[in-house]
Structure formats: C-alpha cells, structure tokens
Amino acid sequence: MEKELIIVLDFGGQYKQLIARRVRECNVYCEIHPYTRTPGEILAMHPKGIILTGGPNSVYAEDSPTCDRALFGLGIPVLGICYGSQLMAHKLGGTVKTAPVSEYGHTKIALDGADSGSKLFKGISPVENTCWMSHTDYIANPPRGFKISAHTENCPVAAMENSGSRLYAVQFHPEVVHTPFGTQLLRNFVMDICGCSGSWKMSSYVETTVKELREKIGDGKVLLGLSGGVDSSVAAALLSKAVGKQLTCVFVDHGLLRKDEGDEVEAVFGPEGPFELNFVRVNAQDRFYIKLAGITDPEMKRKIIGAEFINVFEEEAKRIGEVDFLAQGTIYPDVVESGTGNGGAVIKSHHNVGGLPEHVDFKEIVEPLRMLFKDEVRQTGLELGLPRHLVFRQPFPGPGLGVRIVGDITAEKVRIVQEADAIFREELERGGIDTGKGQFFAALTNMRSVGVMGDGRTYDYAVALRGVLTSDFMTAEAAEIPWNVLQICMTRIINEVKGVNRVLYDLTSKPPGTIELE
C-alpha cells in the first residue's frame, strides 16, 4: 500500500514540529519541508495534503518567505495556519493588514463554520470556544470564492475556506493544547478533507529510519554517548537494530547520575543485555568534579559537561580505532530550546546540541530521534523491544544532576540530590502517582537556612521537589501531588538525608519557568 503523506511547509513557525506531531497522532505520515519547495517538487512527492505553518514575518513585506501561487491550484488540499493563512489570502487576492488590535494567548472565538456544514469544523461545538492566537497582522478581506468560517471580537477572518478548491485557513493555532478543539480540526483536515486512512504506525517510522541509517552509515563505525536516559537509550536501540556491532556505546559515569543508575544501565546495554552493540563504561566522576569545581553559571556548567563528554569520547575513539559518526539522542524540544532553528531564541543549551567543542574528531553527527517528541520517542522504544520500565522511566537531562544542583557542584551535593531524589521517586511509586505523564525529581537549591533537629540548631540545605505534567515538554504544569505524599517525602528526606533541613515544592509552570531548575 502506498504511504500516505502530509507535507508541512515551514515558514519559520516555532510550532512546525508540533503540527507534524499532531498529524502523526492521526496515524498519518508527515514530513516537514522548507517553504522554498516548488509546486513541481511537491507534486513529485504525491502528498495527500499540505499545511502551511505560522511565521514571524508580514506577508506584504518584500523579504518575507513566500510561495508560488500555483501551490493553491495543484488540486491538493491546503490548510494555512497563522502566517500560512495570511499568505493564502495574500496570494489569492485577499487583503492582509496590520491588525488594529493584536491578539495573543487565549481568545474567545465564534465558529461560524460549525453551523454551516464545514468539513473543517465537523463535530466541533460552535458554543463557548476559545483558541490560541499569536498575531499582529490579520486578514481584513478574504479572497474571492472564500467564505468566513470563524471570527473573534478583533479578528474578522479567524478562519476562511473555499471548499470547492479544498483550501482552508485559520488565523489561530490548532496544533497547541490551548486550542481545545484544535486536535479535532486537524483530524478533520487530514482524514475527511485529505482522505487519509490513518494506517501509518510508529513501526513504519522505525522501519524507515533503520533503512535510512543503514544507507547513511554504510560500513562506518558509530560512537554514541549513552547517558542512560530515555532518549539516548532509544537511540542506542535504534542504531543497534540498524548497524549492530558497528555501534559502540560509551557510557560515561560522570558522577552526576541518579542513585544506582550506572549499574542499571550496564545491566540493559552491557554484555549480558539483549542488544547487539559494543558497550564501554567509563568511570570519570573525579575528572568531571575537578572541571566543575567552583563553577556556578548554568550555561557554563552545561558547556563544561558537554565538552568533557566529547573529550572522553575522543579518548575512547582512539582506543577502538577510527570512528566515522558521533550519534546523539537529541529530540526536538532540545533543538527548539537551544535556538538552533530559524533564528529561535536560546532558552538554554542542551548537552546534545549545545556543548560541542569547535574541533571534534568525527566525520559527521547522526541524530536518529531529532524529529521526535518525547512521547514518540517512548513509542519508538517499545517498537524496538526496550523494556517498559526503561522506556517510561523518569526523563533525565544530558548534563544529569549538574542542572539539578543550583550553584557549584561537589561530591557531597551530588550525594544529597541522589538520596533525596531516590526517596521522592520511591514514595511517588508507593503512593500510586502516575509519573509517566511528565517529569518528577528532586533538586538542590543553593539556599541554606536555620533549622531545629532534636535540641540542636542546624544550618543546612533546602531540597526542592519538582513535578510537572506535560505531553510534549514544550509546555508543562505543576503536578498536584497529594499533600500526604509530600509530607511523607519531606519527613523522610529530612530524617534520612544528611545535610538537609528544609523541603520545598516547586509550583512553577513552563512557561514562565523551564522544567529543570537551571
């Protein structure tokens, strides 16, 4: 059966990968391509539909990204989102202007199309709806042949359509969770308007990626820095399936891992494990602590940890011979936050994408998970046969506890965080808390305060417990952990972890905060 394809044309929108992810949730394969693709190139790919992303520009500016008007006459359904909707209007004779009132965030919207038989708004209630807006321009007048299918108080054309030509446009962002009906709208476009069957599965992604990796790597040798987290573990399993013993996984115990994690990782990927690969464990705790001594700046810590990882890789590469590829477990939220695409702002650099020194003794970097969100990474892991307890373990950043210790890093502080974190996770499991929907961990603040234990005065550290719920790690909300569970955690941590006399719970969402403390 021919693979069904939806193409996302990228005009610089920050949510392009999220659009692709929503399409994949409909079990339809989706690829992202630059806006410079010509109509001929698009036709050659035989897509069932095209989605135009948002973007930061104005369609009427001379240097703004654009497309050939012929794109809208290919007979292929097109959905324009935000900038994409304005571009459709602009190219087809409508009017786009600077909005008298810009709209940002949650916005009430009237769905006129829901009452008029619009396929795009099929099954969506027209009553009391909100959407997520983010625009300074708006469509003042739709092109000839289009009818308005949604509006807001300040946006007369919040959605428009020409059903005869199968052209649809929405000013709001249906791909984000803040538009409650957005998933249904995208499903309507993909399934009803584009006519997709929804037969693509994650196993198809695994099969395609394994084939591409084999073609790319050939008979070359691959070196992967295996942190033991979900991302690097899935990357290791995927590469193992593709190239087997050509892969060497270097597991660096940098002294910043969770309690007992080193031995757990070795049990899965070591010689006694089920995967065909070469496994090397390097115990490098002391050299990392020396490099990090006295460093308090979070970005500097990330850079040092990333650079030292590469130094270890280079040393191991010399021992095993020539290495052609450096593999990394980078996933898309890492890329977005590191500001590596389309001029995005650097929120924080990630170990996988931000810590490389200028001179690396590898020919090329391979990142088999770069296009995936966390939940898709987990699905891939299950398809590859990784045990569920590993696939659904708590996510762990590349720099490890280095970003969960505020201030300078010492072996003593690492011990405190490891023990507090182990207690926290143990009590969450004992309390039946579903930690598979987010990230839960303990961190060490740089704050010391006075306390009383027994008849004596203490002056010890405060541990911060952090629990967030998220589906894509782009946004997150604090988890409502039952009070009695938090009380038990507090009591145990203070009683059992030497050096702690205060336990806090971090309620901050993302945004404005990030998931990790640093």
Side-chain angles (χ1 to χ4, degrees), residues 146-268:
F146 281 75
K147 69 175 182 178
I148 298 172
S149 49
H151 69 277
T152 70
E153 181 180 356
N154 297 304
C155 184
V157 188
M160 66 177 190
E161 62 183 70
N162 182 334
S163 58
S165 299
R166 296 196 292 177
L167 302 177
Y168 298 82
V170 294
Q171 181 60 65
F172 53 89
H173 288 274
E175 68 273 23
V176 301
V177 295
H178 308 294
T179 300
F181 59 89
T183 298
Q184 181 62 47
L185 184 147
L186 288 171
R187 180 175 292 276
N188 289 343
F189 177 73
V190 170
M191 309 300 284
D192 294 343
I193 295 171
C194 298
C196 294
S197 64
S199 58
W200 181 79
K201 305 292 183 183
M202 189 55 70
S203 56
S204 305
Y205 174 83
V206 171
E207 181 181 341
T208 301
T209 303
V210 166
K211 180 181 178 182
E212 291 173 350
L213 287 170
R214 285 173 179 162
E215 292 175 354
K216 181 183 182 71
I217 294 169
D219 59 358
K221 292 184 179 181
V222 186
L223 180 63
L224 170 67
L226 180 61
S227 71
V230 177
D231 304 334
S232 67
S233 297
V234 174
L238 193 56
L239 285 160
S240 172
K241 184 177 179 65
V243 298
K245 287 287 188 178
Q246 293 168 236
L247 169 66
T248 297
C249 288
V250 176
F251 172 54
V252 180
D253 189 341
H254 50 20
L256 301 169
L257 300 172
R258 289 170 288 202
K259 188 175 182 179
D260 299 328
E261 189 163 53
D263 294 338
E264 294 172 1
V265 172
E266 186 168 0
V268 175

Side-chain angles (χ1 to χ4, degrees), residues 221-381:
K221 292 184 179 181
V222 186
L223 180 63
L224 170 67
L226 180 61
S227 71
V230 177
D231 304 334
S232 67
S233 297
V234 174
L238 193 56
L239 285 160
S240 172
K241 184 177 179 65
V243 298
K245 287 287 188 178
Q246 293 168 236
L247 169 66
T248 297
C249 288
V250 176
F251 172 54
V252 180
D253 189 341
H254 50 20
L256 301 169
L257 300 172
R258 289 170 288 202
K259 188 175 182 179
D260 299 328
E261 189 163 53
D263 294 338
E264 294 172 1
V265 172
E266 186 168 0
V268 175
F269 292 101
E272 303 303 319
F275 295 99
E276 184 184 7
L277 51 83
N278 300 305
F279 179 82
V280 179
R281 179 173 180 173
V282 183
N283 294 312
Q285 296 92 329
D286 291 341
R287 68 188 279 181
F288 275 88
Y289 291 161
I290 291 170
K291 289 280 186 179
L292 291 165
I295 304 298
T296 59
D297 178 75
E299 278 297 290
M300 184 63 68
K301 286 195 284 188
R302 280 188 173 84
K303 298 295 185 182
I304 290 172
I305 294 168
E308 195 62 17
F309 253 96
I310 298 303
N311 289 337
V312 174
F313 292 161
E314 290 173 342
E315 293 172 10
E316 292 304 318
K318 291 176 182 177
R319 292 188 177 94
I320 67 175
E322 184 180 354
V323 174
D324 303 288
F325 295 90
L326 171 66
Q328 296 185 326
T330 309
I331 66 173
Y332 188 67
D334 300 340
V335 177
V336 171
E337 290 197 334
S338 296
T340 59
N342 292 311
V346 176
I347 300 170
K348 58 181 179 179
S349 66
H350 284 255
H351 166 64
N352 286 336
V353 293
L356 298 177
E358 293 182 6
H359 303 289
V360 182
D361 293 332
F362 307 95
K363 293 180 181 178
E364 195 172 347
I365 291 176
V366 60
E367 297 171 313
L369 307 178
R370 188 181 179 88
M371 301 290 285
L372 301 183
F373 285 83
K374 181 70 74 173
D375 58 334
E376 293 177 323
V377 172
R378 290 195 173 103
Q379 291 178 47
T380 301

